[in-house]
Amino acid sequence: MLRSYTELCKNALGVLLVGAIFALGGFVFLRQVTNDASPIRSVDTLDATIKSVHWGKDAPTTYVLILDDGGTVLITDDRPHLLGSHANIERVVRHNGFVFYRFPE
């Protein structure tokens, strides 16, 4: 229980930090829900080469791919893919303008 103005001032930074963390989490959640609800506008097939992979203990596997035009993309996928191999990927554009890349089903 806070008893004075000085105790309130001592705890203000912590309260602000916790509030900011919750606000950021809410923003990220709402943004993801909005992007998932937006319909897909277009799907384009691209050619790429798998350059590296990162996997964690409980995290999904993330692949770094180099597109044939020189760009770099990250794709998260649970299926195994060989490093250095050629891959066909899809560039998906949602109606709200959100763009992501995925391996074909």
Side-chain angles (χ1 to χ4, degrees):
M1 186 88 174
L2 298 176
R3 297 176 193 238
S4 69
Y5 180 74
T6 55
E7 288 182 22
L8 178 64
C9 290
K10 287 180 183 178
N11 294 322
L13 182 61
V15 171
L16 286 175
L17 287 175
V18 170
I21 289 171
F22 276 106
L24 181 64
F27 172 74
V28 169
F29 174 75
L30 289 175
R31 188 174 139 224
Q32 185 63 38
V33 168
T34 302
N35 287 335
D36 289 345
S38 179
I40 293 176
R41 181 173 55 191
S42 67
V43 177
D44 301 320
T45 303
L46 303 171
D47 295 323
T49 304
I50 300 173
K51 287 296 181 184
S52 67
V53 64
H54 173 73
W55 62 92
K57 182 178 177 184
D58 295 327
T61 306
T62 302
Y63 294 93
V64 177
L65 289 91
I66 305 296
L67 301 175
D68 286 349
D69 65 2
T72 304
V73 296
L74 299 173
I75 298 179
T76 302
D77 195 20
D78 292 330
R79 297 172 290 178
H81 301 279
L82 293 174
L83 290 177
S85 65
H86 174 74
N88 291 324
I89 61 173
E90 295 176 342
R91 179 181 188 260
V92 181
V93 179
R94 293 201 177 266
H95 188 65
N96 64 356
F98 183 73
V99 178
F100 66 96
Y101 297 86
R102 67 183 181 193
F103 288 106
E105 296 295 321

